[in-house]
Amino acid sequence: MLRILSRPATRLMERWLPDAFVFVLILTLVVMLAAIGIEGSNPLDIIAMWGDGFWKLLSFAMQMLLVLVTGFILATSPPVKRMLERLAAFATSAGSAIILVTLVSLAASWLNWGFGLVVGAIFARELARQVKVDYRLLVASAYSGFVVWHGGISGSIPLTVATPEHFTESVIGIIPTSATIFSWWNLLIVALIFVALPLINYMMIPREDETVLVDPAKLGSNTDPEPLPTNATPAERLENSRILMWAVGIPGVIWLLSYFLGGGGLNLDVVNFMFLFVGIVLHGTARSLLAALEQAVKGGAGIVLQFPFYAGIMAIMTGSGLAATMSEWFVAISTAQTLPFWSFISAGIVNIFVPSGGGQWAVQAPIMLPAAQALNADTAKVIMGVAWGDAWTNLLQPFWALPMLGIAGLKPRDIMGFCVVALLFTGAIIGAVLLLA
């Protein structure tokens, strides 16, 4: 049944979903027109909001680019490559490859979303070298595991409300992670997705005559540098010096140990620092690291060019009041029992236009939290409804897929048909638990 369902979804996306850059251009125009039509905003004011917000994500875009580059560097280091090869050896068929990559991506994304995006993509490439499996579905399965990130320990919204002096503390106080991330009903959602999603992806495996394979030679598996010539120059010897790399890499690893032993947590900067300096140590030579870097940067063009456009879209959504209006529509039809569910649905829709957990919470919190108090709803569950909605429609929005697609060498249209099917089933799981638990 799922194979039959995924076939028209895949064909629809392949035919109608444009390149991610074209998608963001269309989305920009749609949001501009919606702000004018729904909010009655002046077109010149909309253009001003868009231009003023266009560069607001530059720091974040650089962080995401480094997630891709440093993650690729770490994953292509000789020890990690060998580990991934051994893990991939457990996959002996297309079905086992799909299940394995989904589970690895789910686990990695629950621990840290940036880690999950990179590990899933790299592991999918390794599996594609060893098993004949539809490459589109393999990468889609790796990306589908990202759906659990906001219910995991790097979820930005539950971590925000658990932090003293957060911007809504005067309204709700401090909400500990025991009431959000580690609540029984949130762990139930995570557990159900861990069981269901690998099976959903498995059941979408195309027939043999519809399977799209990838040539392993085109995956760029050889990141090894050229051997050092016999009559190497001093500069070439420095490029192949392990002493030089370890003299810089080991202090970085020491800093990481000190940071974590001191109680520090994971964030994007720490993840990138960890990927880079552990990668420096494991590569051993600058020549080896630079060979991996050359491949890694090829996939970063989408991030560099598209993230500013999403920053402009977010500025229009928040500045015009359009995001707030959309949230209020769902609050108006909610009860104490249904508000977490409608928070989830509204957040899923808003996320298509504001694909940032922190940015989305800034927009929706002033509406959802007073509504939760007025209706006497479970505030923690409403918070996680917004968090899960933000994560859920990432399966439809190519914003977060860009780093993974850059590593895998695919376009959004290649995987989104499969992701739409995963979206429907994971949405049913999340919505049912939020509504009934």
Side-chain angles (χ1 to χ4, degrees):
M1 181 188 72
L2 292 189
R3 182 187 298 134
I4 294 172
L5 182 62
S6 66
R7 190 180 300 141
T10 300
R11 289 174 179 168
L12 180 68
M13 290 296 174
E14 288 176 344
R15 183 173 177 81
W16 289 102
L17 184 66
D19 183 86
F21 179 65
V22 176
F23 179 85
V24 76
L25 294 181
I26 295 172
L27 201 60
T28 298
L29 295 176
V30 169
V31 171
M32 284 181 171
L33 293 174
I36 294 169
I38 296 173
E39 299 299 326
S41 301
N42 185 296
L44 292 178
D45 291 339
I46 293 298
I47 292 173
M49 293 174 197
W50 177 66
D52 292 342
F54 198 78
W55 302 114
K56 296 294 185 182
L57 287 180
L58 275 185
S59 175
F60 180 65
M62 184 63 178
Q63 286 177 317
M64 288 302 297
L65 184 60
L66 285 172
V67 165
L68 187 158
V69 171
T70 60
F72 190 91
I73 286 172
L74 175 61
T76 53
S77 64
V80 175
K81 282 169 65 177
R82 288 193 293 269
M83 182 187 70
L84 289 175
E85 288 169 1
R86 286 196 291 268
L87 185 59
F90 286 100
T92 56
S93 64
S96 58
I98 295 298
I99 290 174
L100 190 57
V101 77
T102 307
L103 289 173
V104 167
S105 179
L106 281 166
S109 297
W110 191 84
L111 291 172
N112 180 267
W113 64 268
F115 186 62
L117 284 176
V118 171
V119 167
I122 296 295
F123 190 47
R125 284 163 54 105
E126 187 57 44
L127 285 166
R129 294 188 188 105
Q130 300 197 29
V131 180
K132 287 187 176 182
V133 57
D134 190 291
Y135 190 54
R136 303 164 304 164
L137 177 58
L138 188 67
V139 176
S141 300
Y143 182 60
S144 69
F146 186 58
V147 74
V148 301
W149 85 268
H150 225 146
I153 60 177
S154 68
S156 59
I157 294 176
L159 291 182
T160 295
V161 299
T163 303
E165 301 181 2
H166 65 87
F167 73 93
T168 55
E169 184 176 0
S170 61
V171 180
I172 59 172
I174 303 297
I175 306 292
T177 54
S178 59
T180 53
I181 295 172
F182 297 106
S183 64
W184 71 267
W185 45 265
N186 187 67
L187 293 176
L188 176 61
I189 293 174
V190 173
L192 290 173
I193 291 176
F194 262 78
V195 172
L197 190 56
L199 297 177
I200 291 167
N201 290 333
Y202 173 83
M203 289 188 284
M204 286 193 289
I205 295 176
R207 295 193 316 243
E208 187 173 350
D209 61 323
E210 297 176 333
T211 297
V212 176
L213 303 176
V214 63
D215 182 357
K218 294 186 177 181
L219 293 174
S221 60
N222 182 22
T223 57
D224 299 327
E226 296 179 4
L228 187 67
T230 307
N231 56 342
T233 65
E236 290 173 328
R237 293 188 184 279
L238 279 174
E239 291 170 0
N240 285 273
S241 171
R242 292 186 179 274
I243 295 175
L244 178 61
M245 288 285 277
W246 289 346
V248 175
I250 290 174
V253 174
I254 292 173
W255 181 88
L256 282 168
L257 292 174
S258 174
Y259 173 81
F260 287 123
L261 291 175
L266 285 173
N267 57 46
L268 266 185
D269 290 333
V270 172
V271 168
N272 283 330
F273 192 94
M274 177 173 62
F275 284 173
L276 177 59
F277 281 91
V278 174
I280 286 173
V281 171
L282 295 182
H283 272 279
T285 69
R287 200 177 183 90
S288 174
L289 185 143
L290 292 173
L293 176 64
E294 185 177 351
Q295 284 197 30
V297 296
K298 294 177 182 178
I303 293 173
V304 173
L305 190 59
Q306 292 173 45
F307 274 39
F309 281 92
Y310 279 108
I313 290 170
M314 290 167 59
I316 296 172
M317 290 289 294
T318 55
S320 68
L322 186 59
T325 297
M326 293 172 65
S327 299
E328 289 168 354
W329 291 341
F330 289 95
V331 168
I333 61 173
S334 299
T335 65
Q337 180 70 22
T338 62
L339 184 60
F341 172 78
W342 289 119
S343 298
F344 163 65
I345 298 297
S346 67
I349 295 173
V350 171
N351 178 63
I352 295 173
F353 305 96
V354 188
S356 165
Q360 183 165 344
W361 183 237
V363 171
Q364 292 197 267
I367 298 152
M368 294 302 176
L369 295 181
Q373 293 179 329
L375 294 172
N376 199 28
D378 186 330
T379 301
K381 196 178 289 185
V382 170
I383 290 168
M384 290 308 294
V386 175
W388 276 108
D390 169 73
W392 175 50
T393 49
N394 286 331
L395 292 173
L396 189 62
Q397 161 60 266
F399 179 86
W400 293 108
L402 292 176
M404 179 172 284
L405 293 172
I407 293 172
L410 294 179
K411 293 184 179 295
R413 69 168 69 96
D414 297 320
I415 70 169
M416 284 301 168
F418 300 109
C419 289
V420 166
V421 177
L423 175 92
L424 296 175
F425 283 88
T426 54
I429 292 170
I430 299 164
V433 173
L434 289 173
L435 189 61
L436 302 175

